[in-house]
Amino acid sequence: MTRPDLRHIEKQVTLALEEDLGGELLPSQDITANLIDNGAQANATIITREDCVVCGVDWATAAFALVDSAIRIEWHVKDGDKVSADTRLCRISGPARGILTAERTALNFLQTLSGTATVTHYYASILKDSPTRILDTRKTLPGLRLAQKYAVTCGGGKNHRVGLFDAFLIKENHIMACGGIANAVTKAKQDHPDKPVEVEVENLEEFAQAKAAGADIVMLDNFDNEQIQRAVDMNNGQCKLEVSGNITDDRLFSLGSIGVDYISSGALTKHVQAIDLSLRVTLEG
């Protein structure tokens, strides 16, 4: 996924700032920042305390700009850059009040999206010598779907469907309600012949049904490695194969050599460990 457009980013950041300022984007609502002289100017830097893959530059920039357009930021990194601990990410200058009001919102986006990009990079690096690719899921933080999926690509991963509108993922309940795998796949291809059809299966019998029905992708849900190998042999390249469920670091090594096309993991976006960032401020004069 490419970076969301700036209007989308500004909308997200505005909501976050309003949450911090009592419901309206009024920087004067920051009662602690109001302790500082209104004319005070400051310089600041954002530093990472740990190795990471950077993501969220435009979200952090928007936070400072929406609070006070007089704030200036000079970035020393860009999204997707891999940096080491104690790297200075940017230099900020402008009204001290505005910098401190925007600080937490800016860091929240930057640390969260960098966390997603960093863990994705780790997973992708394990598979770097394999044709298998790591995918995200829809298990994203509410309101951050596009942002986190962008972060996944910054870390070297690929996106599964964005939402419920751009691809089919026919699961157990859909199969039951449609009267079987074949019926569900047939209806999907009739309704939207231009969209990929994926079926989630729980055993080799269901896999055979999905393949016979013409599914474009079959997700092997919670299969062990022996079952996955049997599915690869049965498939003979007919459809794309995706593995999901119980994806650990150790399993990634073995799965990358079996011959599946994709491994999907909700951990990329739902088990987010924010990167430890620090903003340091010094007053001018």
Side-chain angles (χ1 to χ4, degrees), residues 233-252:
D233 295 340
M234 289 170 60
N235 185 47
N236 196 29
Q238 181 173 325
C239 57
K240 298 290 186 182
L241 295 181
E242 176 184 335
V243 172
S244 184
N246 297 316
I247 304 302
T248 63
D249 297 1
D250 291 338
R251 277 199 83 198
L252 280 175

Side-chain angles (χ1 to χ4, degrees), residues 47-52 81-89:
I47 297 170
T48 176
R49 299 296 190 184
E50 56 186 309
D51 297 352
C52 71
D81 283 353
K82 191 174 185 297
V83 301
S84 57
D86 299 321
T87 296
R88 185 172 71 171
L89 304 184

Side-chain angles (χ1 to χ4, degrees), residues 162-285:
V162 175
L164 299 173
F165 60 93
D166 58 328
F168 290 96
L169 179 49
I170 301 169
K171 297 188 171 189
E172 178 183 12
N173 289 331
H174 303 104
I175 293 169
M176 179 275 297
C178 290
I181 290 174
N183 286 345
V185 172
T186 298
K187 184 70 161 57
K189 288 183 174 291
Q190 288 174 345
D191 288 355
H192 295 281
D194 58 324
K195 298 189 185 298
V197 178
E198 179 169 1
V199 179
E200 180 182 281
V201 300
E202 298 180 352
N203 53 58
L204 290 169
E205 180 182 352
E206 289 183 349
F207 167 66
Q209 293 175 31
K211 183 167 70 80
D216 300 302
I217 309 168
V218 178
M219 179 191 293
L220 310 175
D221 185 42
N222 287 304
F223 278 41
D224 61 31
N225 284 19
E226 181 180 348
Q227 292 172 313
I228 294 169
Q229 185 64 68
R230 288 183 63 190
V232 170
D233 295 340
M234 289 170 60
N235 185 47
N236 196 29
Q238 181 173 325
C239 57
K240 298 290 186 182
L241 295 181
E242 176 184 335
V243 172
S244 184
N246 297 316
I247 304 302
T248 63
D249 297 1
D250 291 338
R251 277 199 83 198
L252 280 175
F253 285 104
S254 60
L255 290 173
S257 64
I258 288 178
V260 297
D261 299 282
Y262 308 113
I263 300 170
S264 57
S265 174
L268 301 182
T269 51
K270 70 172 182 173
H271 296 163
V272 182
Q273 181 171 332
I275 298 301
D276 186 8
L277 303 177
S278 174
L279 186 145
R280 296 176 175 175
V281 175
T282 57
L283 291 178
E284 291 184 357

Side-chain angles (χ1 to χ4, degrees), residues 40-58:
Q41 298 291 301
N43 295 308
T45 57
I46 296 178
I47 297 170
T48 176
R49 299 296 190 184
E50 56 186 309
D51 297 352
C52 71
V53 175
V54 175
C55 186
V57 165
D58 288 318

Side-chain angles (χ1 to χ4, degrees), residues 58-102:
D58 288 318
W59 283 262
T61 299
F64 289 107
L66 287 166
V67 167
D68 194 324
S69 61
I71 297 174
R72 296 289 176 262
I73 305 181
E74 178 188 359
W75 286 96
H76 307 307
V77 296
K78 63 183 182 301
D79 287 345
D81 283 353
K82 191 174 185 297
V83 301
S84 57
D86 299 321
T87 296
R88 185 172 71 171
L89 304 184
C90 66
R91 180 179 183 275
I92 307 163
S93 60
R97 285 188 179 183
I99 291 173
L100 292 175
T101 296

